[in-house]
Amino acid sequence: MVIAQSKRLRQKHSTGLNVVDPEVYDLINREHQRQEDKIELIASANFVSRAVLEATGSILTNKVAEGYPGRRYFSGCEYIDKLENLAIARAKELFGAAYANLEPYTGSQANHAVYLTVLKPGDRILGMDLSHGGHLSHGAKFNMTGKNYDCHFYQVDPDTERLNYDRILAQAKDVRPKLIIAGASAYPRTIDFQRFREIADEVGAYLLADVAHISGLIAAELHPNPINHAHFVTTSTQKTLRGPRSGMILLGEHSAPEFARKIDSAVFPGVQGAVHMHAIAAKAVMLKEAMSPSFATYQRQTLENTRVIAEDLVKKDFRLVSGGTDNHLILLDLSEKGITGKEAEELLASVGITVNKNMLPYDSQKPSVCGGIRIGTSAITTRGFTSEDMHCIADLIEKVLSGKPTAITLKTVQEEVSRLCRLHPHIDSIYGEGETN
Ligand SMILES: *Cc1c(COP(=O)(O)O)cnc(C)c1O
């Protein structure tokens, strides 16, 4: 290649996104503005710190590596080995684990690796019913798990809408699963992992604690830690833990000797290929942040904010599944309000409040419609929303969902949403230029 041509190609490679691809650049900017202007109440959403974002967007994305620190299939791994070891050490320290695997691309992949470790196709698993708060990767029929394994589901108690451990034990004795999964995407109450382990032991099953939603609370010691009870602990890292979109597997002292190597090979080469080193770096940063006192303060405020919204909504005559919440989310049953989850989601979106429709236990609506919505405060608490703001948000939700809101009401609510967002500017002030100190 002639020198001039090679220089041109390199120049092209160093041209900014706005010039190379204005369409993508524009869509990112619009999404940026959406994140700034809307009240984000999706329970699995959060805003990463600038440091986590920097690591995610770093040159580590260029590094190819397969395998584990000290046992790679490619060379040039001297720095990324240190990085992955650092992340592993932090994860073990934060969660009191004897083993940590930081390579799973997502929480779902982490679960698949656990299944590959202990299950054969056709084996029985017992997880939480999707419409009662469980997750797709726990055996849903349109998920890989539902196709590969014989999946059975426990539900919440029809009276209390909480887990009824005696009923789960009875069902486990009946089903005789090889693996029991404890963990949920839409369960507002504390989970008793010790009790789950007793059930698993009684029927000779392994126990997987999937703490995708509550790992941030666990890190801050605001929810019991399953590490010394469950054989396997998996989590997403982008939810309450406030890290990159990724996953993690942890083992306690009691199970690491038997399963550490097996989990390693289930993740790679079992269900994944090369490591996402930029995500590993971002997880290392996330873990460092999660060890700080300010992270515990943040999680306590999240719980407080959720409690305030929950109590206000109950006072305003909304029905909450299980009557309230112990964690970062609530489930609102809208069946008595004459509005479906889908309609509520759309109405709230029209005024700048982002939630998701959600199935309720024993829901009479279809999954595409849903009888309720799920509301979480992790993201807005990161933004700095206070308990005072929660009273405002509960008022806004009432205005939109109780009775038929007029166009004028919707307009006022929208203005109030904008006011609250301006009160707590986030995206620009956290990620904007000139803020690095
Ligand atoms: C979110 C979630 C997961 C994993 O989701 P990913 O999007 O794959 O990270 C797994 N289990 C539960 C209970 C979840 O809520």
Side-chain angles (χ1 to χ4, degrees):
M1 192 157 46
V2 289
I3 289 173
Q5 190 185 0
S6 128
K7 206 170 159 189
R8 259 201 314 279
L9 287 179
R10 277 171 43 77
Q11 238 163 23
K12 190 147 195 185
H13 218 54
S14 70
T15 308
L17 179 62
N18 56 338
V19 176
V20 171
D21 196 335
E23 268 175 295
V24 167
Y25 182 78
D26 176 56
L27 289 170
I28 292 175
N29 275 339
R30 287 209 238 169
E31 168 61 14
H32 173 129
Q33 207 55 47
R34 189 197 66 79
Q35 291 185 15
E36 186 72 42
D37 296 344
K38 312 284 175 184
I39 294 180
E40 177 65 69
L41 295 181
I42 294 176
S44 45
N46 215 328
F47 299 108
V48 297
S49 69
R50 184 186 185 108
V52 167
L53 188 67
E54 270 181 35
T56 309
S58 71
I59 50 86
L60 289 168
T61 198
N62 298 333
K63 181 66 192 115
V64 58
E66 283 178 348
Y68 293 93
R71 351 175 222 138
R72 303 282 192 195
Y73 291 82
F74 304 111
S75 70
C77 293
E78 53 271 38
Y79 305 116
I80 60 149
D81 277 8
K82 285 199 171 66
L83 197 52
E84 188 165 343
N85 280 330
L86 181 64
I88 290 169
R90 286 179 181 169
K92 283 159 64 174
E93 187 188 335
L94 182 61
F95 290 98
Y99 162 95
N101 191 311
L102 273 287
E103 294 194 5
Y105 300 151
T106 69
S108 300
Q109 298 284 81
N111 286 344
H112 291 309
V114 169
Y115 304 148
L116 190 66
T117 301
V118 291
L119 300 175
K120 294 202 173 34
D123 275 352
R124 270 192 295 281
I125 65 181
L126 178 61
M128 193 169 186
D129 194 321
L130 188 59
S131 62
H132 286 235
H135 188 258
L136 288 170
S137 64
H138 297 179
K141 61 174 184 291
F142 31 82
N143 184 266
M144 217 164 84
T145 46
K147 299 187 197 298
N148 290 342
Y149 309 114
D150 178 13
C151 301
H152 297 256
F153 303 97
Y154 57 86
Q155 305 189 322
V156 295
D157 186 285
D159 297 323
T160 62
E161 296 178 303
R162 296 177 188 228
L163 294 171
N164 178 330
Y165 298 95
D166 293 333
R167 284 170 58 129
I168 297 171
L169 172 62
Q171 192 179 356
K173 283 181 169 167
D174 194 35
V175 169
R176 292 273 150 192
K178 184 126 177 237
L179 177 73
I180 295 176
I181 307 167
S185 303
Y187 183 65
R189 296 298 182 173
T190 300
I191 296 173
D192 187 343
F193 294 113
Q194 187 174 353
R195 191 68 215 285
F196 260 113
R197 176 59 188 261
E198 287 162 12
I199 294 170
D201 283 347
E202 221 168 304
V203 300
Y206 293 115
L207 177 65
L208 161 62
D210 175 351
V211 297
H213 257 269
I214 52 173
S215 45
L217 298 174
I218 292 169
E221 297 180 354
L222 296 169
H223 188 289
N225 188 339
I227 195 72
N228 294 319
H229 303 300
H231 297 88
F232 311 96
V233 178
T234 56
T235 184
S236 302
T237 52
Q238 71 274 16
K239 301 180 183 177
T240 50
L241 209 43
R242 218 161 56 177
R245 260 166 212 285
S246 208
M248 188 159 75
I249 304 176
L250 304 164
L251 302 178
E253 249 164 41
H254 63 110
S255 75
E258 186 180 352
F259 291 111
R261 279 289 171 144
K262 289 179 179 159
I263 290 285
D264 272 355
S265 40
V267 173
F268 174 86
V271 299
Q272 294 189 172
V275 191
H276 289 181
M277 279 318 305
H278 56 303
I280 302 261
K283 278 180 272 192
V285 177
M286 162 199 88
L287 290 162
K288 180 171 183 182
E289 289 176 350
M291 287 174 193
S292 73
S294 65
F295 186 79
T297 308
Y298 156 64
Q299 296 294 353
R300 274 194 299 276
Q301 187 61 43
T302 302
L303 291 187
E304 171 68 8
N305 282 351
T306 319
R307 191 185 59 78
V308 170
I309 282 207
E311 284 180 6
D312 278 16
L313 288 172
V314 167
K315 279 190 214 134
K316 294 173 191 301
D317 229 23
F318 281 91
R319 200 187 83 77
L320 270 54
V321 169
S322 82
T325 176
D326 302 326
N327 59 24
H328 62 299
L329 66 86
I330 57 175
L331 263 182
L332 220 52
D333 176 357
L334 298 170
S335 54
E336 287 160 17
K337 295 274 172 192
I339 179 171
T340 66
K342 183 169 187 281
E343 287 163 345
E345 178 187 303
E346 285 164 4
L347 258 180
L348 287 168
S350 76
V351 295
I353 298 176
T354 315
V355 302
N356 66 282
K357 61 178 179 296
N358 213 99
M359 288 296 275
L360 306 171
Y362 309 102
D363 207 331
S364 55
Q365 300 285 356
K366 293 183 300 193
S368 55
V369 177
C370 297
I373 55 173
R374 187 183 65 160
I375 292 176
T377 64
S378 294
I380 52 171
T381 305
T382 294
R383 254 186 107 147
F385 279 59
T386 61
S387 352
E388 204 49 45
D389 302 320
M390 296 307 121
H391 294 304
C392 299
I393 292 178
D395 282 342
L396 300 182
I397 291 174
E398 182 192 28
K399 284 198 176 104
V400 176
L401 299 185
S402 281
K404 287 254 174 294
T406 63
I408 296 172
T409 306
L410 292 176
K411 181 108 203 310
T412 357
V413 171
Q414 200 167 16
E415 280 161 13
E416 186 63 7
V417 167
S418 299
R419 186 188 69 81
L420 285 168
C421 288
R422 278 198 305 273
L423 199 60
H424 304 288
H426 186 67
I427 307 300
D428 288 332
S429 64
I430 299 292
Y431 310 134
E433 281 165 41
E435 295 277 336
T436 18
N437 297 325

